[in-house]
Amino acid sequence: MEDNLIALEAVLGSLDEPLVRARSGGEALRALQCRRFALVLLDVRMPGMDGFETAAEIRRLDRAKDVPIIFLTGADDDPGYAFRGYATGAADYLAKPFDPWVLRAKVGVFLDLHRKNRQLELVLARERAVREAFEAWLAGLEAQLDGTAPPDVPALRRQVRELRDRVARGGRAR
């Protein structure tokens, strides 16, 4: 419902993160296929696919299967809905009317986790690149040792010293 979307934007707008509206489960799935998200807020009641069906479809998307989901629902909904929400992989479940400070705090935690995961991905990619560079360097040294010509020992010693220095610097070049 438009009123709910406006209320959520008012509560979450101060987090200075882009918010993407989806007015249906299908619209949410299309958005998730186009870009990465830190978190999905799903209402249990939505036109077309309900929130549970949408969550199940999100879990089937390779790109979005690990995105945390917080369900929002009316307080008068079936008490079994909370169990059903968690069973579909929800990270949390809030009944309306919810405390805006609590929602903002929960969303903030997931945003921080997302940022830290992105930083970790960058660190791992850098480490992978350094490891590949070292492996290529070692393969070059091995090729010199395995060649038919006698190895140039002073040149190999220089390369080994340079390799040791680079390992000591954590893989960074001078």
Side-chain angles (χ1 to χ4, degrees), residues 5 20-34 37 46-47 49 54:
L5 293 171
V20 176
R21 282 184 177 209
R23 290 170 182 82
S24 69
E27 197 174 318
L29 291 169
R30 284 188 295 281
L32 285 159
Q33 290 172 333
C34 295
F37 286 87
M46 297 189 307
M49 270 190 287
T54 303

Side-chain angles (χ1 to χ4, degrees), residues 8 23 33 49 53 55 59 65 99 163:
L8 283 173
R23 290 170 182 82
Q33 290 172 333
M49 270 190 287
E53 294 167 314
R59 294 293 172 240
K65 66 183 174 198
D99 182 332
L163 183 58

